[in-house]
Amino acid sequence: MNWTLPGLLLGAVMIALINAGVFQAGNVPSIVPRLVALISVIYIIPSVFAFPTAWFLSTGRTRLLKNSTIDIYKKKIVYHKAEKLVMSKPRYNVYSVTQLRSVDVRRGYYILHGSVTNETSGGSSSELRIPVAFDNMNLILEKSRYR
């Protein structure tokens, strides 16, 4: 969205300039209307389609994060991840992390290394990726032995 918003604003300015008659023949060199058309095709028109798409996707992700929760116990971390909304009710996957060995702090998420169990489907793995979107994320760092 940060890349497409300037394209929308530039498009609005170009429409205003065209309606004001700035690009009429004789007022500007002949290369300027061609340059305006090229910028419109390359940047402005894709921005018109990409901005609503990016906004819709980010809103959906935010809605899923609001429905997700983390419970931190003495020897276990339980992450209730809202995978998708079905009939405006979230469908959850429940992950539990025991024997937390380390936490990798990345931009926007933590990677927990330990014994991870998907309690919904019964699978297991050695790491879990949790977005940094919850209030008690500092407690996860305190529970890890090595950072």
Side-chain angles (χ1 to χ4, degrees), residues 24-97:
Q24 289 182 355
N27 291 343
V28 294
S30 63
I31 190 74
V32 174
R34 290 183 186 139
L35 187 63
V36 168
L38 182 67
I39 291 172
S40 296
V41 169
I42 291 175
Y43 187 55
I44 295 173
I45 293 173
S47 294
V48 169
F49 294 108
F51 184 81
T53 304
W55 179 79
F56 179 74
L57 291 175
S58 69
T59 303
R61 182 172 184 264
T62 303
R63 190 175 304 146
L64 288 175
L65 286 175
K66 285 182 181 178
N67 287 318
S68 299
T69 59
I70 292 180
D71 299 326
I72 299 177
Y73 301 107
K74 199 170 205 174
K75 296 185 179 185
K76 181 162 85 169
I77 298 171
V78 180
Y79 176 41
H80 301 273
K81 182 180 182 183
E83 291 291 335
K84 60 182 175 178
L85 293 176
V86 178
M87 303 285 286
S88 56
K89 291 186 181 182
R91 179 175 290 164
Y92 292 101
N93 271 346
V94 179
Y95 298 95
S96 65
V97 180

